[in-house]
Amino acid sequence: MHFCLLGTVAVTTGTEELALGPVKRRSVLAMLLLRPNSAVPVEQLISCLWEEEPPAHARTVIQGHVSRLRATLAEAGADAHGVELTTHGSAYQLRLPEQLVDAQRFSELLYRARPEAAPDEAVELLRQALDLWRGPALTGTVASPPFAAAAHALEERRLAAVEALARAHGVLGQYEKAADVLHPVAVANPLREGLIAALMLALYRIGRQSDAIAWYHRTRQLLADDLGVDPGERLRAAYEEILRAAPAAPAPRAAAEPAAANASPEFTEFPDRARPGAPAQAHPQAQAHPQAQGSPAAAVPPQAAPQAAPQTAVPAPGPQLLPRPPAGFLGRDRELAVLTRLTLPAAEPGGPAPAGLPPEGGITLVTGPAGVGKTGLAVHWGHAHAEAFPDGRLFVDLRGFSGGEEAAPAEVLREFLLALGTPADRIPPSPEAAGALYRSLVADRRLLVVLDNARSSAQVRPLLPGGPRCATLVTSRSRLDGLIATDAARPVRLHALGPEDGVALLGALLGPDRVAEDPEAAHELVALCDGLPLALRAASAQLLARPRWRLARLATALRDERRRLTLLSAEDAGVAAALRNSVTRLSADDARLLRTLGTGFAREVNTAEAAALAGADPELIQDGLERLAEVHLLDEEATNRYVMSDLVKLFAQDSGDGKDRQEGR
C-alpha cells in the first residue's frame, strides 16, 4: 500500500488505485498524510476544507469522511501494512510506516544526497526522489490557503532537489546533463533567479555562451516588468562571470604535478572536479583575450604588466557573444556578399585592404521592415566569418523595437567591458569614461561588434569601437540616416524574400517532401506571408503542429484577412507582435495616420490622397508619410508614391478597429 501526495492525492495497492470519493474526503486524507502519526484536530481539518464560513454541521461532515476512509483502507488490507486511522477525542491520527508516503520518501532521499561530497551517489538518490513526482503536489484537494501553502512548500523542495541534482552533475563535470535537468524547470519558473543562474553557467560551460546571456536578459526583463526590481546578486554574479569568460580551472601545470580545477571564486554553482580523462579546461571560453586579463591595458603601465605566459600556454579566444546561428537560414547570397565587401576590415594594420574593402574598420547598417530577417542575416554572417575576427565578437540587442525599454548605452558599455575582461570594480561610473576605456581596449583588436535592433543613431554612436581593425554591424527597422551622415555607415537594405527563396525556406523548415506535395500552395503561402521570413516561420510552426494539414489548407485559412495575423503568430512571436513593437515607437499623430491609411486605400497612395483621407494639411501628411517610410511601415516606390504591404495594412486596420472600440465609436 502506498500513499501519494506528489501529484494527485491517491492510495494504491499493487497496480490498483483505491476509490477515495469526493474532493473533501480526499482532502481529509491529504491533511492526515501531511502530518503522519500525529493527531490532527477537527478544527484544523475544518479550516482546511472550508475557505469561508463552514456550515453548522461541519464536524458531522468530517466524521462521515473519516468513517468512509477508515472503511476503504480496511477493505484494502490496511492492517497488513501497519496502517490504522484512529480517533483521539476531537482529533484524528493516521498511523503508518512513513516510508509508505511518497512525500516522506522524497524528503529522506533528498536528505541523504550530498551533491558536493558524494556526487555519484547524489545523482542516483536525487533521480529516485524526483521520479516520485507525478504532477503538481496535492492535486485533487480543496483550493484553500492551507493546502496551497502545503503544495507550495512541497514544490519548493522539488525545485531544491532539481538544483541539487544539477550541482551533482556539475561536480562531475557533466554540464550538459545539468543543463538538461535545469532547462524545463527554468522555463516553468522564470523568476527563480538561483535556478536561472545555475542554468546560465551550465549552458556557458558546454559552449552555449550566447544562450546563457539570452537567459539573463530575458530574466532581467521579466523581473523589471513583473516585480519592478533588478537582478539579484546571484544572477548578476553568474552573468558577469560569463561575460568575463573567466576560467573555471587554472592553466595546466607541469607534468609532474597533478592538475586540480577550481570553481570561479565569484560563483561556485558548479564547482569543477579533477577526474581521470577530464580536459584541462572545463570551459569552452577558458579566458578572455590576453590583453583583457586583470586591469584594462590602458590603465596598466608597461612596467607593471605581469610576466608573459609560458610559451606552452595556448591563448583562448576573445569574447564570443553572438547568438547561435539561425536555424534554416538560406538564400540571401547577394546581401551576404555585400556585407562581406563592406564590412571586413583590412587584412593587417597599415597593410592594403583587399579589393573593394575600406582601409579601416567601418560601419555597415542593415535595415528593413519588421520580420524581414535582419538579425538572422547579421548573426549568420558573423558566424560565417569568425576567422576574420580572432579577438572576439561582441553582440547586444539594443531593444530599440522590442516593446519595452530600450538598452541604455551605459548599460551596454558595462556588458562589453566585462566581456573584454575588465573587473567590475574597474569599470568607470560615467558613460563617457566607460566609452573611452572601451575604445582603448579594442583599438588594436580584430573584433566584430554587432549592435542589433537599434532605434536611433544616438543609441549607437557611444558603442562604436572606432579601431581600424574592428568592424561594426548595426541592424535597425529605422533607416538611421544620421548614422550614415555623421559616421559614414554604409547601408544595406534587406527586402522580403522572392517566391523561390520563400518556397525554399518553407522546404527547409517543413521538409522538401511536404512542400513538393503542393508547390502551388507553397507559392501562395509565400505571397500571403509577404515573403517575410518571420511570417513564413510562423506559418511553418502552424503546419508542424498539425502534421495532417496540407499546405493548401493553411493557405485557405490565411486568405481570410480577419484571421491572417492570428495564424501568423507563434506564442509571443509573430508578425502582429513585431509590428506592434514598431507602432508603439510612433507618435500619436503618425500612428493615427497609419490607421487611416490602413482602412482607406488598397495598396498605393500619394501625399494628396493621404491628406484627403486624413483631412489634414498636405505638408504635415508628407512629413508623416516620410516618418512611416523611415521605419519601413511604408515603402516609397517612386517619388511621392507610397506602398503598404498587405500584412501592415491588416495590422493597421486591426489597430484602427481597436482604437475605435476603445473610444466608443
Side-chain angles (χ1 to χ4, degrees):
M1 180 172 285
H2 294 283
F3 296 85
C4 306
L5 296 175
L6 306 180
T8 300
V9 174
V11 182
T12 61
T13 56
T15 59
E16 295 183 0
E17 182 176 322
L18 302 187
L20 295 179
V23 170
K24 281 188 169 56
R25 189 175 305 159
R26 195 182 298 264
S27 301
V28 169
L29 175 63
M31 187 54 63
L32 295 172
L33 288 171
L34 287 169
R35 297 183 58 187
N37 300 309
S38 299
V40 181
V42 172
E43 290 77 8
Q44 183 177 352
L45 290 171
I46 291 174
S47 67
C48 292
L49 265 62
W50 285 276
E51 193 170 351
E52 299 178 353
E53 187 69 21
H57 60 287
R59 284 178 174 271
T60 304
V61 173
I62 296 290
Q63 290 171 357
H65 287 315
V66 170
S67 177
R68 287 304 307 153
L69 284 172
R70 186 180 288 124
T72 300
L73 293 173
E75 291 170 4
D79 289 345
H81 298 280
V83 177
E84 184 181 10
L85 179 51
T86 61
T87 303
H88 298 271
S90 61
Y92 299 100
Q93 182 179 23
L94 185 59
R95 295 177 179 172
L96 76 171
E98 292 190 0
Q99 66 267 24
L100 298 183
V101 184
D102 60 357
Q104 297 297 321
R105 295 202 306 278
F106 172 79
S107 295
E108 173 65 19
L109 291 166
L110 184 57
Y111 174 78
R112 288 166 51 196
R114 296 176 297 157
E116 286 78 18
D120 287 302
E121 181 185 12
V123 167
E124 179 61 29
L125 292 172
L126 291 167
R127 288 209 173 275
Q128 290 180 30
L130 291 168
D131 285 344
L132 294 171
W133 285 75
R134 298 168 297 105
L138 303 179
T139 298
T141 57
V142 172
S144 66
F147 279 113
H152 177 74
L154 288 169
E155 175 65 12
E156 284 295 309
R157 292 184 62 75
R158 185 182 76 87
L159 295 177
V162 171
E163 293 188 51
L165 177 58
R167 286 202 307 277
H169 281 306
V171 172
L172 296 169
Q174 299 168 348
Y175 300 118
E176 188 154 2
K177 290 184 178 180
D180 290 342
V181 167
L182 291 166
H183 184 269
V185 187
V187 171
N189 298 269
L191 296 177
R192 193 178 179 92
E193 295 185 58
L195 195 150
I196 305 299
L199 175 60
M200 287 167 54
L201 287 174
L203 290 170
Y204 162 58
R205 287 167 179 163
I206 58 174
R208 294 170 59 184
Q209 186 176 18
S210 60
D211 288 339
I213 291 172
W215 268 100
Y216 173 81
H217 286 299
R218 184 185 303 122
T219 307
R220 178 191 58 76
Q221 189 67 50
L222 283 172
L223 289 169
D225 292 345
D226 293 359
L227 304 178
V229 298
D230 293 326
E233 177 60 30
R234 192 174 175 190
L235 195 61
R236 287 199 310 272
Y239 179 56
E240 292 183 1
E241 178 178 335
I242 292 167
L243 284 182
R244 287 195 306 269
R253 301 180 182 178
E257 186 177 357
N262 282 324
S264 168
E266 290 87 355
F267 199 87
T268 55
E269 184 67 37
F270 293 110
D272 295 305
R273 185 188 189 200
R275 63 194 189 284
Q281 295 286 352
H283 289 220
Q285 284 87 24
Q287 62 185 28
H289 188 280
Q291 185 178 344
Q293 293 297 315
S295 302
V300 181
Q303 63 271 21
Q307 288 186 340
Q311 291 295 318
T312 55
V314 179
Q320 305 295 333
L321 304 191
L322 276 186
R324 63 180 181 272
F329 185 93
L330 50 79
R332 301 295 193 192
D333 293 340
R334 186 188 67 81
E335 292 88 348
L336 289 169
V338 171
L339 283 185
T340 301
R341 177 172 58 83
L342 296 178
T343 307
L344 284 182
E348 292 296 336
L357 295 187
E360 66 280 325
I363 306 163
T364 305
L365 173 61
V366 180
T367 67
V372 80
K374 301 178 292 296
T375 302
L377 180 77
V379 171
H380 177 85
W381 186 91
H383 281 288
H385 293 276
E387 73 286 349
F389 304 101
D391 294 324
R393 294 168 293 172
L394 299 176
F395 176 93
V396 65
D397 177 4
L398 295 175
R399 307 192 298 274
F401 294 90
S402 296
E405 184 179 356
E406 62 189 67
E411 169 193 340
V412 179
L413 285 170
R414 177 178 176 81
E415 294 182 7
F416 281 0
L417 288 171
L418 286 168
L420 291 165
T422 307
D425 58 357
R426 299 290 186 90
I427 296 176
S430 78
E432 293 78 14
L437 176 58
Y438 163 64
R439 289 188 294 275
S440 68
L441 283 176
V442 303
D444 295 320
R445 299 192 187 190
R446 295 201 65 171
L447 191 74
L448 174 65
V449 180
V450 180
L451 306 176
D452 184 50
N453 195 12
R455 182 183 180 185
S456 66
S457 300
Q459 189 187 24
V460 169
R461 289 191 185 101
L463 308 175
L464 298 176
R469 307 175 74 196
C470 292
T472 305
L473 274 180
V474 181
T475 76
S476 180
R477 298 182 194 179
S478 175
R479 293 198 307 251
L480 299 190
D481 294 340
L483 201 65
I484 298 172
T486 62
D487 296 272
R490 297 173 292 276
V492 177
R493 168 67 194 276
L494 201 58
H495 295 275
L497 295 174
E500 298 307 320
D501 283 343
V503 171
L505 177 58
L506 285 176
L509 297 171
L510 298 172
D513 293 342
R514 196 167 180 187
V515 172
E517 289 178 355
D518 198 344
E520 290 185 8
H523 279 84
E524 184 179 4
L525 282 176
V526 173
L528 289 167
C529 291
D530 283 346
L532 289 179
L534 177 62
L536 289 167
R537 290 176 182 276
S540 298
Q542 296 282 357
L543 290 166
L544 288 170
R546 300 166 177 83
R548 295 180 182 275
W549 276 30
R550 294 176 61 86
L551 272 63
R553 181 169 177 179
L554 180 59
T556 300
L558 289 176
R559 290 186 206 124
D560 184 348
E561 294 185 344
R562 296 167 300 178
R563 300 181 58 203
R564 191 179 305 173
L565 289 175
T566 301
L567 289 169
L568 294 180
S569 297
E571 292 190 1
D572 58 344
V575 177
L579 290 173
R580 188 176 301 111
N581 291 336
S582 289
V583 173
T584 56
R585 299 301 194 194
L586 299 176
S587 67
D589 289 340
D590 290 346
R592 191 178 303 111
L593 175 59
L594 182 70
R595 290 194 297 271
T596 300
L597 296 176
T599 56
F601 77 100
R603 178 169 172 78
E604 296 185 6
V605 70
N606 59 31
T607 302
E609 293 165 342
L613 285 170
D617 182 86
E619 291 188 7
L620 294 177
I621 293 299
Q622 176 65 53
D623 293 340
L625 292 171
E626 177 60 25
R627 287 189 293 269
L628 293 177
E630 184 179 347
V631 293
H632 296 95
L633 290 168
L634 294 178
D635 278 329
E636 189 175 11
E637 284 200 344
T639 302
N640 193 29
R641 197 70 186 169
Y642 297 90
V643 175
M644 181 183 288
S645 72
D646 289 340
L647 292 177
V648 173
K649 185 174 185 293
L650 291 175
F651 180 83
Q653 290 172 352
D654 286 349
S655 62
D657 292 344
K659 181 70 174 176
D660 291 343
R661 288 192 296 269
Q662 194 175 34
E663 295 177 356
R665 294 199 293 266

